[in-house]
């Protein structure tokens, strides 16, 4: 009875923080790591997937990321934030993978599509969000265009945008992960948002469109 | 505040990272600045657009891989090596299951071995199944034997006592003390009491039960105690308790040390043995005669299936070993129990030789099957011939036994249609009967058996009839195999009509063709009697062939390698008949119907060829070519002939039209291979290049 009570009390639960779970895992509690994995494998995978844009590669990098966590668990200090440590590892994995696949190349959004040099650009093909232009049947295409717009961001802007937008990491944590100042992160984030706004100008009806979408004062 | 700082504040406001107070301040500032408000709305729209993006999930296998690695990292490593592997293997469910099966198997084996170890011989088996009534009878027999032994022992003991008393009275032994006299009196008294006891209560110990007990098998429950209570003779037949030299059994079966001479003891032992043997023989005799009532099944100890099978084998072996022996001479012993003769006669005979109980009791050898004399066989053959053929043929067979084979072949050919209607059951019965008959007469080849090939599709019936004519199983079998073999050999040797000719025709020992090495060719029925004892026994498969052949005529063709097929369809018969008459149009129609209704028949290839020939005869060369091309290349098909005809027809078509008659005449020989006309070499044209 007492033993079961102690076990229940000491059993890792979802209420435990990442750091606590990691500490328990260091002590040999494999279930704590299972909770950590359940909590972070999805976001980390999506982060990696949006960076490398390859599902298979994202799976491999996700596995490698957590294997590194497992192997370096003893070196983990509770003072550091687990997510920061985790995303640092994931980001490094992505960078290594992108360096290996350095031959990749993405066409510009402003580059004419197709063989016709006078053809429409990808930006021009983006549908507007007006009642006439928006069609739910094109939702898949719209999502594809958003993904493409994100993919066309620079690696620095994309990783910051993904970590902040999808992984809900704070700018401070992102700065720690990336290893730059918080202002630099915010600057990259601002440019990322502006580029996406331009890319999705036709999609977002309520998005302010005009000759000067980006405030002049923000153009550094 | 610089623009960068303001934009940073806007981002914090957008993502909610500002404290509430500061957020309100920034929001108020944004409301006053339209550019800032516009920028904030645009960023908000971008964020709103991101909501529609899908949320991809990782591969589940990655999850398990990571978890396995995580557990392996924190949990102690499993020991490696053989013992670790052995431990893991021993703890695996598969090993546990296999071990359980092994235990069950070994346990069953031990149990069955114990069960099987009970009967050592048929006699023990019989003793085990003796009923209570039989036990009483056996006890009577044993009691008689034991009483005889006691009597034989008591007599010398009394004589010794008389002798001692006389000696003492005569003064020959003054040194003898009164104790000796008393001892002699005691011996005499014991002897008398033994006689009384013998007369009053014979020894009840069953020798059968005693043997079973002695041999370490399970005795019937309470048997020993009962024997002691009833008779008081203490295991008279048991060797360990049998009296030895200087010992004798008293009237109560006790072993007493007496001064009786050793020869008296030996005599008693011999008398005991004789009585036991007599009793056993009497019991066997009674059992074999059926005078002893069999034990009801319900009193037999239930055995397992395996034990029953083994017991049955042992019983069969014993019965087989004893079967050739002559019946034991009747022993002059009073029958223990008699069953009314009518009852014994009414007992149902053994229908199945596998009835172990009956075989166990039926020690008498079965009466040998009467071997029919050749004359009887001949008479039987004549009767069968008279049954199946007309009187003239039967009479001819009767008049000249040596030409029976020829008559059979001729009649078979003549009445092939009638024979085809013979019921397979009857043919099978005849074949079986002929198979059982130990005579080996064979048909003279003489080419006539081969003629039966024309009745294709009815070979089984025809040959079954041949066997049924009384020519003997080996002869019928040989003729049958010959017919099929001829068919196989001569398929390609077709004449113009497509009919088969027997390559192994007159004078060729077709029997030898069927089995050239295993059996010598026997072509003369007159040598039947001399050949009979020297004819080797046909192998099992060969002996069984008549039965199978009669049951399924098509198997004959399959067994000889011919193309199997059912009986000849009526359409094919009509087609061939029409073709023989020269009515090729009717033949073509009948062939067409045959092809439609029997696409899988074994005569398709030949029939196609014949149909094509009929088309040729009608002058319909295109259809003839079309039909020729339908003949596929396969073993035993008419593909070669068809190709030859195609080449010939092509040559005819290439030549002037006034010559077809002559060409057709020359090409209508099926056996002739027409060499194809060499085609001109291709001309290389510049266009092709």
């Amino acid at each position: 009875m007492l033993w079961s009570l102690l076990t229940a009390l000491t059993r890792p639960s979802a209420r435990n923080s990442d750091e606590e779970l990691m500490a328990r895992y260091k002590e040999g509690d494999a279930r704590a790591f299972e909770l950590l994995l359940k909590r972070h494998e999805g976001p980390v995978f999506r982060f990696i997937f949006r960076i490398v844009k390859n599902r298979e590669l994202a799976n491999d990098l996700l596995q490698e990321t957590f294997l590194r966590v497992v192997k370096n668990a003893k070196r983990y200090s509770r003072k550091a934030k687990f997510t920061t440590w985790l995303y640092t590892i994931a980001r490094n994995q992505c960078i290594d993978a992108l360096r290996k696949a350095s031959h990749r190349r993405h066409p510009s959004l402003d580059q004419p599509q197709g063989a016709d040099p006078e053809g429409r650009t990808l930006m021009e093909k983006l549908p507007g969000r007006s009642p006439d232009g928006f069609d739910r049947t094109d939702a898949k295409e719209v999502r594809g265009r958003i993904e493409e717009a994100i993919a066309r961001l620079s690696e620095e802007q994309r990783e910051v945008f993904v970590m902040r937008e999808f992984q809900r990491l704070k700018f401070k944590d992102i700065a720690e992960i990336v290893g730059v100042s918080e202002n630099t992160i915010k600057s990259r984030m601002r440019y990322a948002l502006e580029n996406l706004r331009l890319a999705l100008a036709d999609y977002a009806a309520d998005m302010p469109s005009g000759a000067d979408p980006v405030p002049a004062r923000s153009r550094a | 505040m610089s623009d960068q700082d303001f934009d940073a504040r806007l981002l914090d406001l957008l993502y909610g990272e500002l404290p509430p107070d500061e957020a309100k301040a920034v929001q108020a500032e944004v409301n006053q600045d339209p550019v800032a408000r516009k920028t904030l709305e645009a960023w908000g729209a971008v964020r709103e657009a991101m909501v529609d993006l899908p949320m991809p999930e990782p591969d589940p296998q990655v999850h398990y891989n990571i978890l396995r690695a995580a557990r392996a990292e924190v949990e102690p490593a499993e020991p490696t090596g053989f013992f670790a592997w052995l431990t893991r293997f021993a703890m695996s469910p598969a090993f546990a299951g296999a071990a359980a099966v092994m235990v069950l198997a070994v346990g069953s084996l031990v149990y069955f071995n114990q069960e099987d170890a009970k009967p050592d011989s048929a006699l023990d088996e019989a003793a085990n199944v003796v009923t209570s009534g039989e036990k009483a009878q056996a006890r009577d027999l044993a009691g008689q034997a034991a009483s005889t032994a006691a009597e034989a022992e008591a007599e010398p003991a009394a004589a010794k006592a008389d002798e001692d008393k006389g000696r003492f009275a005569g003064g020959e032994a003054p040194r003898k003390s009164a104790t000796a006299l008393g001892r002699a009196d005691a011996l005499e008294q014991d002897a008398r009491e033994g006689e009384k006891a013998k007369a009053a209560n014979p020894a009840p110990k069953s020798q059968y039960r005693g043997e079973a007990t002695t041999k370490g098998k399970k005795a019937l429950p309470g048997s020993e105690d009962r024997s002691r209570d009833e008779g008081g003779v203490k295991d008279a037949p048991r060797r360990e308790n049998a009296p030895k030299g200087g010992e004798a059994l008293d009237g109560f079966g006790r072993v007493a040390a007496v001064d009786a001479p050793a020869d008296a003891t030996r005599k008693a032992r011999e008398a005991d043995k004789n009585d036991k043997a007599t009793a056993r023989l009497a019991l066997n005799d009674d059992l074999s005669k059926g005078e002893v009532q069999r034990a009801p099944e319900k009193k037999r100890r239930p055995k397992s299936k395996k034990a029953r099978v083994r017991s049955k084998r042992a019983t069969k072996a014993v019965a087989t070993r004893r079967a050739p022996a002559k019946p034991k001479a009747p022993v002059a012993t009073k029958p223990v129990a008699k069953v009314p003769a009518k009852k014994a006669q009414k007992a149902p005979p053994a229908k199945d030789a596998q009835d172990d109980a009956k075989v166990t009791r039926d020690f008498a050898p079965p009466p040998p099957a009467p071997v029919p004399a050749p004359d009887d066989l001949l008479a039987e053959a004549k009767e069968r011939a008279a049954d199946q053929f007309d009187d003239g043929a039967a009479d001819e067979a009767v008049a000249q036994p040596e030409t029976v084979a020829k008559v059979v072949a001729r009649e078979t050919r003549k009445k092939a249609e009638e024979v085809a209607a013979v019921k397979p059951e009857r043919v099978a019965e005849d074949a079986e009967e002929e198979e059982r008959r130990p005579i080996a007469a064979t048909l003279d080849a003489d080419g006539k058996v081969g003629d039966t090939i024309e009745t294709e599709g009815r070979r089984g019936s025809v040959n079954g009839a041949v066997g049924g004519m009384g020519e003997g199983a080996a002869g019928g079998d040989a003729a049958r195999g010959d017919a099929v073999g001829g068919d196989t050999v001569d398929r390609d040797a077709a004449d113009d009509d497509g009919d088969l000719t027997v390559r192994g025709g007159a004078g060729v020992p077709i029997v030898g063709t069927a089995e050239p090495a295993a059996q010598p060719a026997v072509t003369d029925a007159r040598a039947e009697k001399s050949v009979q004892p020297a004819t080797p026994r046909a192998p099992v498969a060969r002996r069984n062939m008549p039965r199978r052949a009669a049951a399924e005529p098509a198997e004959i063709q399959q067994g000889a390698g011919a193309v199997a097929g059912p009986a000849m369809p009526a359409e094919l018969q009509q087609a061939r008949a029409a073709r023989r008459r020269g009515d090729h149009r009717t033949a073509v129609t009948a062939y067409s119907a045959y092809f439609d209704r029997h696409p899988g028949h074994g005569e398709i290839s030949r029939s196609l060829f014949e149909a094509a020939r009929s088309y040729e005869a009608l002058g319909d060369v295109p259809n003839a070519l079309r039909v020729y091309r339908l003949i596929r290349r396969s073993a035993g098909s008419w593909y070669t002939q068809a190709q030859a005809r195609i080449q010939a027809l092509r040559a005819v078509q290439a030549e002037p039209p006034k010559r077809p008659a002559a060409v057709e005449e020359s090409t209508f020989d099926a056996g002739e291979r027409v060499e194809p006309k060499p085609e001109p070499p291709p001309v290389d044209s510049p266009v092709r290049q």
Side-chain angles (χ1 to χ4, degrees), chain A residues 55 143 186 194 197 215 218, chain B residues 7 12 39 42-43 52 57:
Chain A
R55 190 177 186 85
R143 287 196 296 268
K186 287 181 179 177
E194 288 298 325
R197 185 181 67 86
S218 299
Chain B
D7 288 343
D12 289 336
T39 301
W43 290 350
D52 293 336
E57 293 295 330

Side-chain angles (χ1 to χ4, degrees), chain B residues 633-680:
Chain B
R633 183 196 298 271
S634 63
S637 73
W638 290 64
Y639 177 80
T640 306
Q641 289 86 344
Q643 293 301 311
R645 294 299 310 153
I646 290 172
Q647 296 296 334
L649 290 177
R650 283 179 180 171
V652 169
Q653 288 177 334
E655 291 180 359
K658 55 184 178 182
R659 293 189 59 190
V663 173
E664 186 172 349
E665 184 178 346
S666 65
T667 56
F668 260 45
D669 186 0
E672 181 184 358
R673 178 186 294 273
V674 179
E675 293 297 333
K677 186 177 181 180
E679 296 182 355

Side-chain angles (χ1 to χ4, degrees), chain B residues 45-216:
Chain B
V46 171
R47 291 199 65 192
E48 186 181 354
M50 299 300 140
V51 176
D52 293 336
L53 288 180
M55 305 285 282
E57 293 295 330
D59 191 351
Q61 185 62 37
V62 175
H63 176 84
Y64 294 113
N65 292 343
I66 296 170
L67 272 185
R68 189 168 59 245
R71 289 196 181 104
E73 187 70 20
V74 295
E75 291 175 356
E78 293 184 354
T80 58
F82 174 73
F83 290 104
W85 173 83
L86 190 63
T87 305
R88 285 195 300 272
F89 179 73
M91 298 301 290
S92 64
F95 178 78
V101 171
M102 285 291 293
V103 168
L104 285 176
V106 171
S108 302
L109 195 63
V110 171
Y111 176 75
F112 289 137
N113 283 339
Q114 288 179 352
E115 289 289 323
D116 295 341
K118 288 173 188 172
D120 263 354
S121 65
L123 197 58
D124 293 336
E125 178 86 357
N128 285 332
V129 300
V130 167
T131 63
S132 60
E134 290 172 326
K135 290 172 187 173
Q137 296 162 6
R139 279 196 296 271
D140 293 340
L141 286 174
Q144 292 175 6
S147 62
T148 306
E151 186 178 359
E153 289 173 1
E155 287 176 356
K160 181 69 167 61
D162 294 339
E163 186 179 358
D164 290 343
K165 287 173 68 177
R167 286 176 183 173
F168 191 78
E172 294 181 0
R175 295 188 302 273
K176 300 284 185 179
S177 63
T179 307
L181 181 59
R183 185 181 175 192
D185 292 337
L187 285 172
E188 186 178 6
Q189 187 178 0
D190 287 345
R192 288 170 184 164
E193 289 179 355
E195 289 179 1
K196 292 177 182 177
K198 174 202 68 179
N201 195 6
K205 180 66 176 177
S206 170
Q207 58 176 337
Y208 301 107
R209 191 188 311 139
E211 286 188 1
T213 307
T214 304
K215 292 185 178 181

Side-chain angles (χ1 to χ4, degrees), chain A residues 176-191:
Chain A
E176 187 177 354
I177 292 170
V178 177
V180 295
S181 67
E182 188 175 349
N183 286 332
T184 304
I185 294 298
K186 287 181 179 177
S187 175
R188 292 175 182 176
M189 185 68 189
R190 185 169 61 86
Y191 278 105

Side-chain angles (χ1 to χ4, degrees), chain A residues 5-162:
Chain A
L5 182 61
L6 289 174
T7 305
L9 289 175
T10 57
R11 182 176 300 173
S13 65
R15 291 174 295 183
N16 293 109
S17 65
D18 297 339
E19 291 74 18
E20 292 173 352
L21 293 175
M22 193 62 195
R24 296 181 70 116
Y25 175 67
K26 284 175 65 177
E27 296 171 356
D29 190 352
R31 178 161 175 80
F33 185 84
E34 187 176 354
L35 288 175
L36 274 176
L37 182 64
K38 284 183 179 177
R39 187 180 294 179
H40 291 286
E41 65 177 343
V44 172
F45 173 77
R46 285 186 281 274
F47 167 73
I48 297 173
F49 176 70
R50 297 195 192 282
I51 298 297
V52 300
K53 295 173 287 187
N54 185 305
R55 190 177 186 85
E56 297 299 323
L57 182 59
N59 276 316
D60 293 342
L61 294 180
L62 174 69
Q63 179 170 323
E64 187 62 28
T65 298
F66 276 97
L67 288 180
R68 292 200 174 216
V69 169
V70 167
K71 290 180 181 178
N72 299 319
K74 294 179 180 177
R75 292 164 51 186
Y76 170 74
S77 173
R78 194 166 179 173
K79 296 176 182 177
K81 198 172 183 180
F82 176 75
T83 51
T84 305
W85 183 52
L86 176 66
Y87 277 95
T88 302
I89 297 174
R91 178 177 175 270
N92 291 335
Q93 294 292 321
C94 292
I95 291 173
D96 292 342
L98 292 177
R99 282 177 182 169
K100 290 177 183 176
S102 59
H103 62 276
R104 68 188 178 89
R105 193 175 167 180
H106 298 287
S108 171
L109 288 174
D110 299 329
Q111 182 179 350
Q113 301 293 303
D116 185 7
E118 300 298 327
R120 298 172 61 193
T121 64
L122 182 61
M123 293 297 295
E124 291 171 347
K125 291 181 180 178
L126 287 172
R129 206 177 179 184
S130 62
D132 296 336
F134 183 77
D135 191 354
R136 282 296 175 187
T137 58
D138 295 334
K140 187 176 180 181
E141 182 183 351
V142 171
R143 287 196 296 268
R145 294 178 65 178
I146 295 173
E147 293 280 4
E148 187 66 24
I150 295 172
R152 294 188 183 282
L153 295 174
S154 67
E155 290 182 11
E156 293 176 345
Q157 295 175 15
R158 187 168 65 246
E159 69 179 4
V160 171
F161 176 78
V162 168

